[in-house]
Amino acid sequence: QVQLVESGGGLVQAGGSLRLSCAASGRTFSSSAMGWFRQAPGKEREFVGIIWSNSVYADSVKGRFTISRDNAKNTVYLQMNSLKPEDTAVYYCAAGLRGSYYAPSQYEYWGQGTQVTVSS
């Protein structure tokens, strides 16, 4: 059974940094696409970024967020710098991509999410 577990969320002041982790078990994702999404209260889940042979990011986070992976640990990371209050959301990692990488419906596996709150 595939399981994704996010960690590393918390409360940070604007301009600060956080690093989220997504540990996978039940299957090796070292050569597979792994995505990050976020969902703010009252809003739809939105694409943040994805890593596979390269990385792609949403315009809203480009230049501030970086996705990396440690294949030995079957873990993907989301380094978030220069955080803004509008980055406040629950962050999810996703795997098992079947189609368009920016569409949440195209991922088979999801973590439980981790809350990121950025204060102004």
Side-chain angles (χ1 to χ4, degrees):
Q1 183 179 357
V2 174
Q3 189 174 17
L4 304 177
V5 179
E6 300 98 335
S7 61
L11 174 63
V12 63
Q13 288 188 332
S17 299
L18 281 175
R19 189 178 80 156
L20 306 184
S21 300
C22 172
S25 61
R27 185 184 135 179
T28 299
F29 289 98
S30 58
S31 60
S32 302
M34 297 286 290
W36 284 96
F37 288 77
R38 66 186 182 186
Q39 188 166 18
K43 294 188 176 181
E44 294 186 350
R45 193 166 297 189
E46 66 172 0
F47 172 76
V48 172
I50 187 171
I51 185 168
W52 68 108
S53 56
N54 56 356
S55 299
V56 177
Y57 300 93
D59 287 344
S60 59
V61 306
K62 199 174 296 182
R64 300 188 298 122
F65 290 11
T66 303
I67 300 174
S68 61
R69 69 198 311 165
D70 184 336
N71 290 334
K73 296 182 179 180
N74 213 19
T75 298
V76 174
Y77 303 97
L78 178 65
Q79 177 67 45
M80 305 184 296
N81 299 328
S82 302
L83 282 162
K84 305 174 181 180
E86 51 263 44
D87 294 319
T88 295
V90 178
Y91 283 72
Y92 299 89
C93 66
L97 180 62
R98 300 172 291 207
S100 300
Y101 62 81
Y102 51 84
S105 63
Q106 297 303 305
Y107 291 80
E108 184 172 0
Y109 307 110
W110 290 87
Q112 83 289 350
T114 185
Q115 176 70 47
V116 171
T117 303
V118 184
S119 63
S120 57

